Amino acid sequence: KSGIVSSIQHTNGEVIVHDGQYVAEGDILISGEIKYNETVKNNVCASGEVLAEVWYETSVSLPISYVNKTRTGKKRTNFAIDTASGRHKILKSRLLHYETEEKVLFHFFDWTFYKYIEYEVEEENLLYDLDAGVEKALALADEKINMKLKDGEKINTRKVLKKSINDSTIEVEIFYSVLENITKVEEFSITEVEEEGS
């Protein structure tokens, strides 16, 4: 990926970029060619990692209306059986609105028995204002980017580029600066050309 080099760790090969340097996608960052006075003296298997600041723009759309659920404290226990024809609850729920947590009790041949805890919730229809909508959009966008990041990678900064309410939707455009491992290993083979007459 293209970005600005932040740190380099290498175990083999020659580093041909430096911290703070802009690199483009496809550039060689750590080479297996060991040179002296511009002449290749040896070839090794280059290895290492390069962390760089890369940039993303993303947009989030979310409906202006949402349902807020609050648990009331009431709960009921229920059971279910999972068979080839589907999952079937044993008891009819006595709660109008509820959230369910389930736990597998045991398996018996092709049947699975579940225990359900049903938590009663009160539902309230609410509307985001622009500020609350932007906060929710940022949380969703952060979560999406963080899911793709590996160990040592992180979001540096983010900035809202544009925010608006169109009809019943909040639209938010966000710019991200992310510290990522931009290393991609490529294999190459060296063939020696024999001189004529040898």
Side-chain angles (χ1 to χ4, degrees), residues 34-51:
I34 307 300
K35 294 182 179 179
Y36 179 74
N37 290 335
E38 299 304 315
T39 304
V40 177
K41 295 294 185 183
N42 193 12
N43 287 285
V44 297
C45 179
S47 61
E49 290 186 349
V50 178
L51 291 179

Side-chain angles (χ1 to χ4, degrees), residues 70-75 119-120:
T70 308
R71 290 187 180 183
T72 65
K74 289 184 183 178
K75 64 181 181 179
Y119 296 91
E120 184 181 51

Side-chain angles (χ1 to χ4, degrees), residues 47-162:
S47 61
E49 290 186 349
V50 178
L51 291 179
E53 180 185 0
V54 297
W55 309 280
Y56 298 100
E57 280 188 31
T58 187
S59 58
V60 177
S61 297
L62 67 151
I64 199 169
S65 62
Y66 67 101
V67 176
N68 185 48
K69 295 181 179 180
T70 308
R71 290 187 180 183
T72 65
K74 289 184 183 178
K75 64 181 181 179
R76 297 285 183 268
T77 302
N78 204 342
F79 299 91
I81 302 173
D82 207 351
T83 66
S85 63
R87 189 173 296 187
H88 309 281
K89 285 189 178 180
I90 306 288
L91 305 171
K92 182 177 179 183
S93 179
R94 292 175 285 157
L95 302 174
L96 182 60
H97 300 289
Y98 57 90
E99 296 174 335
T100 303
E101 291 178 6
E102 64 182 50
K103 179 182 177 183
V104 175
L105 291 177
F106 60 91
H107 300 283
F108 183 73
F109 294 105
D110 291 339
W111 293 8
T112 305
F113 291 82
Y114 292 90
K115 178 182 179 181
Y116 281 169
I117 304 294
E118 298 171 346
Y119 296 91
E120 184 181 51
V121 294
E122 289 179 348
E123 295 185 351
E124 186 180 9
N125 291 315
L126 299 173
L127 298 176
Y128 286 116
D129 62 17
L130 187 57
D131 289 340
V134 167
E135 285 303 311
K136 180 65 174 177
L138 286 171
L140 291 171
D142 285 358
E143 184 181 341
K144 186 177 177 182
I145 286 183
N146 280 321
M147 283 175 62
K148 297 178 181 177
L149 299 182
K150 301 175 188 128
D151 287 342
E153 301 179 335
K154 64 177 183 175
I155 296 172
N156 281 336
T157 58
R158 59 173 158 76
K159 182 176 182 179
V160 175
L161 300 176
K162 187 178 175 184

